[in-house]
């Protein structure tokens, strides 16, 4: 069931989203070669706690294997759900960050992929195109239109560039819980409800240099490309109103990532 949000709820979700984007803005200069991904997780936990929020990813999932960190850090062939570890970020890495905050019961969700140091031209091109996929998807999110318009826009742009679209994972309703209905796939598939005012969704293309196929590592979380080629991931939380669509999370990249060239 799709839970439409009222004005007060959207206002609360907006505040949570602004906080998350502010967190990223401070975090991004720390995402550089030589830094352990565990250090980033510690910083994120601390920042969210100080801001009065809760990290929604921490402890998410099954009781047997809950996600052990506040932020997912997925490097190169890792697509999503990378677990922070003693691994050090290296020059040339594509580092995907994905985080969510619960602020007073209102949930935000945002992801972006940072280019660390000198990345290859092909990795940069993938990252630029994936970010474009996100914005094409957002442009297709309009009250009155069908949800899979988003999927067509995302997939169309990725395929045009010869990239693979991840099919096993998708965007989702968000705001009062981390994962709500509807599912928002990146290729046309499944239910196709009409979008309407009050819908809050996370659009999150996961696009691969090679084929779209992925597998999950033995840790039960880390999703990697089966061909081990690089992947990029961009996500915004958006609110659909009857007459316009608002991006609730904000672009946080400045010196890093691919925003310079956009
Ligand atoms: Mg996310
Ligand atoms: Mg999400």
């Amino acid at each position: 069931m799709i839970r439409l949000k009222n004005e007060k709820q959207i206002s609360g979700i907006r505040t949570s989203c602004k906080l998350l984007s502010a967190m990223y803005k401070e975090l991004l200069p720390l995402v550089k070669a030589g830094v352990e991904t565990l250090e980033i997780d510690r910083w994120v936990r601390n920042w969210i706690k100080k801001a009065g929020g809760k990290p929604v990813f921490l402890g998410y999932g099954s009781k047997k294997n809950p996600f052990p960190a506040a932020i997912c850090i997925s490097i190169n062939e890792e697509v999503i759900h990378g677990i922070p570890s003693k691994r050090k970020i290296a020059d040339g890495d594509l580092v995907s960050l994905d985080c969510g905050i619960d602020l007073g019961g209102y949930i935000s969700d945002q992801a972006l992929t940072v280019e660390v140091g000198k990345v290859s031209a092909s990795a940069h091109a993938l990252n630029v195109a994936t970010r474009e996929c996100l914005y094409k998807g957002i442009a297709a999110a309009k009250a009155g239109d069908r949800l899979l318009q988003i999927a067509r826009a995302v997939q169309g742009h990725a395929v045009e560039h010869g990239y693979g679209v991840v099919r096993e994972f998708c965007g989702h309703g968000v705001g009062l819980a981390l994962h709500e209905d509807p599912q928002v796939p990146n290729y046309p598939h499944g239910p196709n409800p009409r979008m309407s005012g009050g819908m809050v969704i996370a659009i999150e293309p996961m696009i691969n240099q090679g084929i779209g196929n992925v597998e999950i590592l033995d840790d039960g979380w880390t999703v990697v490309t089966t061909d081990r080629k690089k992947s990029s991931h961009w996500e915004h939380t958006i609110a659909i109103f009857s007459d316009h669509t608002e991006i609730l999370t904000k672009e946080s990249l400045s010196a890093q990532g691919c925003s310079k060239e956009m």
Side-chain angles (χ1 to χ4, degrees), residues 65 75 77-83 87 214-226 228:
N65 189 24
I75 300 176
E77 77 280 3
E78 296 172 352
V79 180
I80 49 168
H81 302 167
I83 298 174
R87 176 174 180 175
V214 296
E215 60 189 324
I216 299 175
L217 298 183
D218 288 342
D219 61 24
W221 282 105
T222 314
V223 176
V224 298
T225 57
T226 52
R228 300 300 189 263

Side-chain angles (χ1 to χ4, degrees), residues 57 98 109-110 170-172 174 178-179 202-204 233 235:
F57 293 6
D98 189 0
D109 191 5
Q110 183 179 11
C170 61
H172 48 91
V174 65
L178 179 57
H179 293 125
I203 300 180
E204 48 178 317
H233 180 209
E235 175 181 34

Side-chain angles (χ1 to χ4, degrees), residues 4 62 65 71 107 210 248:
L4 298 180
S62 69
N65 189 24
I71 185 167
I107 315 288
L248 298 178

Side-chain angles (χ1 to χ4, degrees), residues 7 10 14 32 35 49 53-54 78 107 118 123 128 136-139 145 150 191 199 221 223 237:
E7 228 170 89
I10 291 179
R14 184 186 287 116
K32 52 189 187 193
V35 175
K49 196 176 166 194
K54 279 185 246 164
E78 296 172 352
I107 315 288
K118 261 203 160 136
V128 169
K136 299 249 177 204
I138 292 170
D145 287 354
I150 297 170
M199 276 178 72
W221 282 105
V223 176
T237 295

Side-chain angles (χ1 to χ4, degrees), residues 160-176:
E160 207 175 284
H161 286 79
Y163 296 132
V165 177
V166 174
R167 297 157 81 99
E168 285 89 340
F169 297 89
C170 61
H172 48 91
V174 65
L176 303 178

Side-chain angles (χ1 to χ4, degrees), residues 71-171:
I71 185 167
C72 300
I73 306 178
S74 311
I75 300 176
N76 297 329
E77 77 280 3
E78 296 172 352
V79 180
I80 49 168
H81 302 167
I83 298 174
S85 69
K86 293 209 152 292
R87 176 174 180 175
K88 284 186 174 149
I89 292 170
D91 193 79
D93 279 346
L94 273 189
V95 179
S96 298
L97 306 170
D98 189 0
C99 191
I101 293 178
D102 175 342
L103 187 67
Y106 296 114
I107 315 288
S108 49
D109 191 5
Q110 183 179 11
L112 49 93
T113 296
V114 180
E115 299 175 17
V116 175
K118 261 203 160 136
V119 305
S120 66
S122 61
H124 174 68
L126 169 74
N127 202 26
V128 169
T130 306
R131 182 170 172 270
E132 287 169 353
C133 282
L134 170 61
Y135 284 97
K136 299 249 177 204
I138 292 170
K142 280 189 199 138
D145 287 354
R146 296 278 177 183
L147 186 79
L148 292 182
Q149 286 295 111
I150 297 170
R152 285 190 195 94
V154 168
Q155 186 189 46
H157 193 66
V159 168
E160 207 175 284
H161 286 79
Y163 296 132
V165 177
V166 174
R167 297 157 81 99
E168 285 89 340
F169 297 89
C170 61

Side-chain angles (χ1 to χ4, degrees), residues 22-42:
M23 192 269 308
Y24 272 124
K25 200 168 182 187
E26 281 186 45
L27 170 63
L28 290 178
L30 310 175
V31 181
K32 52 189 187 193
V35 175
E36 259 181 31
T37 54
L38 254 183
E39 277 177 54
I40 293 174
D41 181 54
R42 270 196 294 271

